[in-house]
């Protein structure tokens, strides 16, 4: 499968929901030769999981044995990337498109479904407003769930649904999901005790949960926020437990037919909320109370992975199931506390704020006890490595050599093309991604991608398969050049030493952004947001 030569734009918004426009893309043939047996597929998509939080990536405090076991039993991609923020990352994953195109996401507001709790609107009214504000989806557009669905799979998405911030039953079904359960609104998903969720188009009340904000806790840590978090009134059922029950039931119910389960977890996205501290951390004197709770959220994610793997083994289908574990973006801190680690991100010793140019964020300077980005510069929302490099592990005993690794360049928008080849999807479709199926099953050591490109709040970045990286801060007119194989911490800007390489990568970046680098400058503007709010006023 080859990559489309034309590219797209973005007018995205942090923390708001988006719908792509799909015109002007080159066609890619998604056919695959042969009629091999179709594997089951489980895609676990962690939320704000910094790569440094995993044991096999060097984490010292939190043990993640189940995710580590996946790496031992499958292939670990050591050069995998995703967008720097939740919404564009999920949009890229589901559409197979990157986020630096001229035409971009349509936007609907987050928090819309909270109006059901306040009594202002019902579900039907909200969905009518949202669907009316969005353009219709082109008939020939293909989505991740649709690829599996049309290849004969039963599909389900469970958890933090779609790419946010507010989506609808119409979009869920058009994107190819036979079944779904979870939040249709990512603002509500910032709490873990929802009074209601959505299942296959219907609102489902969650008994014992009574808080309109889903029990979202406050930041940073203060005595008041700690007390609020410990108050259990209206917080009976923890959403991640509900999701796990649904996921395990879906696997059991469909064990005798090909299934695709997309499991976008809430964990370990904050604000911090967990029913109880894990025994591993109760007596850990290195951690403050809120850090113990956050560590328990990461630990629960690992336990959930273990539960899924155990279910597959109990049903005797683990050998024929392809399991993918990855994350939407880089690390984020939800356990800030004065004098410990502070937001806006600040050098804890000097009090100086990080600007990610002259003063780049590093864990040892910020006070982050977990080193969640694994020593990299930057965090979520940044085009530095800490914001965009993510874990990617794939286990498939029938096809993949256990304990292998691959350093080929992989983008999250490659998943759709890869799943098309895995499932045998034969319809032509449009994508910026390429299939890395050959690298998965050992047919090739090369992934075949020449570069990845992503937007950020400061401007776009491009990374080549050789390891050269150009990153921008358009507001400051900064163009930095790094050679990542020698400098994964991005401490040595080579733009002055290698002007020809800088010029070359500027040209490639400009072409990827369709002639305007501002197409890779993430902003908070969007007409659909205004239209939807006006209609819902």
């Amino acid at each position: 499968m080859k990559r489309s030569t034309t590219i797209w734009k973005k007018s995205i918004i942090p923390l708001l929901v988006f719908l792509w426009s799909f015109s002007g893309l080159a066609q890619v043939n998604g056919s695959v030769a042969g009629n091999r047996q179709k594997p089951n597929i489980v895609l676990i998509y962690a939320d704000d999981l910094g790569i440094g939080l995993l044991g096999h990536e060097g984490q010292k405090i939190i043990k993640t044995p189940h995710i580590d076991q996946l790496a031992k039993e499958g292939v670990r991609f050591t050069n995998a990337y995703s967008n720097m923020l939740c919404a564009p990352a999920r949009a890229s994953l589901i559409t197979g498109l990157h986020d630096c195109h001229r035409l971009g996401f349509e936007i609907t507001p987050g928090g819309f479904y909270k109006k059901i709790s306040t009594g202002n609107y019902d579900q039907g009214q909200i969905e009518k407003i949202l669907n009316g504000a969005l353009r219709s989806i082109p008939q020939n557009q293909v989505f991740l769930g649709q690829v599996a669905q049309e290849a004969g799979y039963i599909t389900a998405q469970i958890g933090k649904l779609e790419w946010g911030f507010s989506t609808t039953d119409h979009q869920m079904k058009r994107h190819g999901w036979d079944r779904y359960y979870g939040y249709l609104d990512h603002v509500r998903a910032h709490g873990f005790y929802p009074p209601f969720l959505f299942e296959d188009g219907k609102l489902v009340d969650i008994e014992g949960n009574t808080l309109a904000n889903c029990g979202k806790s406050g930041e940073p840590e203060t005595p008041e926020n700690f007390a609020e978090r410990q108050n259990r009134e209206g917080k009976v059922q923890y959403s991640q437990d509900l999701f796990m029950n649904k996921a395990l039931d879906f696997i059991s119910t469909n064990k005798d037919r090909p299934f695709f389960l997309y499991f976008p977890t809430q964990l370990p996205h904050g604000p911090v909320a967990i029913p109880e501290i894990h025994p591993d951390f109760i007596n850990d004197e290195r951690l403050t109370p809120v850090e113990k709770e956050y560590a328990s959220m990461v630990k629960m994610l690992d336990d959930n992975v273990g539960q899924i793997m155990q279910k597959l083994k109990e049903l005797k289908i683990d050998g024929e199931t392809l399991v993918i574990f990855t994350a939407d973006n880089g690390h984020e801190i939800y356990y800030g506390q004065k004098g410990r680690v502070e937001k806006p991100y600040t050098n804890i010793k000097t009090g100086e704020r990080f600007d990610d140019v002259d003063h780049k964020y590093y864990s040892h300077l910020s006070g982050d006890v977990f080193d969640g980005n694994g020593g990299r510069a930057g965090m979520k929302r940044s085009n530095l490595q800490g914001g965009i490099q993510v874990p990617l592990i794939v286990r498939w005993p029938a096809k993949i050599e256990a304990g292998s690794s691959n350093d080929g360049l992989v983008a999250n928008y490659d998943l759709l093309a890869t799943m098309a080849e895995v499932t045998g999807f034969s319809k032509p479709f449009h994508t910026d991604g390429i299939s890395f199926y050959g690298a998965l099953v050992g047919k090739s050591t090369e992934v075949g991608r020449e570069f990845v490109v992503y937007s950020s709040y400061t401007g776009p970045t491009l990374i080549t398969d050789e390891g050269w990286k150009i990153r921008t801060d358009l507001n400051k007119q900064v163009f930095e050049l790094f050679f990542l194989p020698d400098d994964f911490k991005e401490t040595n800007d080579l733009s002055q030493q290698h002007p020809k390489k800088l010029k070359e990568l500027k040209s490639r970046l400009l072409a990827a952004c369709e002639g305007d680098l501002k197409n890779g400058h993430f902003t908070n503007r969007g007409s659909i947001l205004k239209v939807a709010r006006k209609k819902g006023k």
Side-chain angles (χ1 to χ4, degrees):
M1 183 168 289
K2 63 182 180 180
R3 187 173 24 145
S4 168
T5 55
T6 58
I7 316 180
W8 245 46
K9 152 178 186 183
K10 103 179 229 232
S11 58
I12 352 181
I13 305 213
L15 314 176
L16 295 167
V17 74
F18 314 15
L19 215 201
W20 284 89
S21 164
F22 308 108
S23 60
L25 294 169
Q27 193 175 78
V28 175
N29 193 323
S31 64
V32 61
N35 292 313
R36 64 176 176 273
Q37 185 178 357
K38 298 177 187 295
N40 306 312
I41 302 168
V42 177
L43 169 56
I44 304 168
Y45 204 55
D47 196 353
D48 283 9
L49 180 78
I51 194 169
L53 290 173
L54 301 177
H56 66 273
E57 294 285 356
Q59 175 56 218
K60 303 301 183 185
I61 295 175
I62 307 168
K63 295 181 176 65
T64 56
H66 301 296
I67 300 171
D68 297 344
Q69 188 65 27
L70 276 185
K72 291 177 183 177
E73 296 177 356
V75 57
R76 173 173 160 254
F77 286 88
T78 61
N79 201 17
Y81 289 87
S82 185
N83 313 63
M84 51 86 217
L85 194 68
C86 168
R90 292 159 196 268
S92 287
L93 177 79
I94 291 169
T95 64
L97 302 167
H98 70 61
D99 64 353
C100 294
H101 290 295
R102 185 178 57 82
L103 297 176
F105 305 130
E106 291 187 317
I107 303 154
T108 59
F112 225 160
Y113 285 95
K114 185 178 177 181
K115 295 176 183 290
I116 295 174
S117 289
T118 59
N120 294 338
Y121 289 90
D122 62 26
Q123 178 187 354
Q125 290 171 315
I126 290 173
E127 293 204 357
K128 183 177 180 180
I129 291 168
L130 294 174
N131 288 328
L134 294 164
R135 293 190 295 270
S136 61
I137 300 171
Q139 190 67 31
N140 64 348
Q141 180 61 32
V142 172
F143 300 92
L144 183 66
Q146 181 185 354
V147 160
Q149 185 184 62
E150 295 189 11
Y153 283 66
I154 183 168
T155 64
Q157 184 179 168
I158 297 170
K160 185 175 176 179
L161 304 175
E162 289 301 288
W163 61 75
F165 269 128
S166 298
T167 189
T168 68
D169 177 65
H170 169 73
Q171 289 174 299
M172 294 296 300
K173 290 175 178 174
R174 174 61 182 86
H175 293 171
W177 307 111
D178 296 311
R179 305 292 307 277
Y180 68 85
Y181 178 79
Y183 293 91
L184 290 177
D185 181 341
H186 286 199
V187 168
R188 292 181 71 248
H190 294 164
F192 286 80
Y193 299 94
F196 60 87
L197 292 169
F198 294 93
E199 183 169 20
D200 303 338
K202 297 180 180 179
L203 185 149
V204 179
D205 290 317
I206 308 301
E207 186 176 356
N209 292 355
T210 62
L211 304 176
N213 70 349
C214 302
K216 179 180 178 179
S217 59
E219 296 181 79
E221 183 71 330
T222 63
E224 293 77 18
N225 285 335
F226 176 80
E228 185 277 331
R229 208 165 57 248
Q230 302 308 304
N231 182 356
R232 307 301 302 170
E233 185 177 354
K235 304 174 184 176
V236 174
Q237 300 196 57
Y238 191 69
S239 53
Q240 192 67 19
D241 291 335
L242 298 172
F243 299 154
M244 276 306 304
N245 291 337
K246 286 290 182 181
L248 297 177
D249 181 67
F250 175 79
I251 291 171
S252 297
T253 301
N254 296 285
K255 63 183 177 62
D256 296 323
R257 61 184 295 189
F259 64 79
F260 175 31
L261 170 62
Y262 172 37
F263 187 37
T265 76
Q266 279 180 276
L267 298 171
H269 195 296
V272 166
I274 195 78
E276 59 185 4
I277 295 175
H278 191 278
D280 281 5
F281 312 115
I282 290 175
N283 298 315
D284 193 329
E285 296 181 354
R286 294 170 293 182
L287 305 179
T288 65
V290 71
E291 289 169 348
K292 291 178 181 181
E293 292 176 56
Y294 177 79
S296 299
M297 294 171 73
V298 179
K299 190 70 177 179
M300 178 179 278
L301 172 65
D302 184 71
D303 287 343
N304 288 167
V305 172
Q307 288 176 269
I308 290 172
M309 298 310 301
Q310 182 61 32
K311 177 59 67 174
L312 295 174
K313 291 172 183 176
E314 286 176 3
L315 298 173
K316 295 181 171 54
I317 58 174
D318 67 302
E320 59 197 74
T321 300
L322 188 160
V323 178
I324 304 167
F325 179 87
T326 188
D328 59 349
N329 48 245
H331 186 49
E332 173 70 304
I333 289 175
Y334 294 102
Y335 39 91
Q337 191 168 357
K338 188 170 180 58
R340 183 76 171 182
V341 57
E342 299 182 6
K343 291 183 180 181
Y345 292 126
T346 302
N347 186 312
I348 207 68
K349 293 182 179 179
T350 67
E352 186 174 36
R353 288 188 182 180
F354 300 113
D355 65 4
D356 282 344
V357 177
D358 297 317
H359 306 287
K360 291 186 173 73
Y361 173 95
Y362 291 100
S363 295
H364 70 282
L365 300 177
S366 76
D368 179 18
V369 67
F370 299 112
D371 186 21
N373 60 12
R376 294 163 180 80
M379 299 283 278
K380 174 182 177 179
R381 300 181 180 85
S382 167
N383 59 19
L384 291 162
Q385 292 296 94
I388 59 175
Q389 192 171 10
V390 295
L392 175 60
I393 302 166
V394 186
R395 178 191 185 272
W396 187 9
K399 295 282 187 179
I400 293 175
E401 180 184 355
S404 57
S405 65
N406 190 302
D407 63 359
L409 189 62
V410 179
N412 62 326
Y413 48 89
D414 291 333
L415 261 293
L416 187 147
T418 305
M419 291 303 98
E421 189 163 4
V422 168
T423 61
F425 180 77
S426 59
K427 180 188 292 185
F429 62 97
H430 306 296
T431 182
D432 290 323
I434 62 170
S435 172
F436 56 90
Y437 176 81
L440 270 184
V441 300
K443 290 182 179 180
S444 171
T445 58
E446 300 294 327
V447 172
R449 171 165 289 289
E450 296 178 3
F451 67 88
V452 297
V453 62
Y454 291 105
S455 76
S456 80
Y457 281 103
T458 65
T461 187
L462 182 145
I463 302 168
T464 73
D465 56 349
E466 296 173 328
W468 287 100
K469 174 177 180 176
I470 182 173
R471 71 173 293 259
T472 64
D473 187 320
L474 298 181
N475 293 331
K476 299 178 181 178
Q477 292 298 300
V478 168
F479 293 85
E480 292 185 318
L481 180 68
F482 300 103
F483 186 62
L484 297 175
D486 295 340
D487 184 24
F488 84 100
K489 292 187 175 183
E490 296 171 280
T491 59
N492 186 20
D493 177 13
L494 300 175
S495 57
Q496 297 299 314
Q497 294 95 313
H498 297 276
K500 289 184 179 179
K501 177 60 68 173
L502 178 65
K503 182 178 180 181
E504 172 199 333
L505 293 189
K506 271 188 178 181
S507 178
R508 295 177 73 175
L509 181 61
L510 186 63
C513 293
E514 296 183 341
D516 189 348
L517 295 181
K518 291 180 181 179
N519 293 337
H521 194 178
F522 191 94
T523 71
N524 296 339
R525 296 184 298 275
S527 60
I528 298 302
L529 172 64
K530 296 174 183 177
V531 170
R533 280 183 171 163
K534 185 175 180 180
K535 289 185 176 182
K537 197 170 182 179

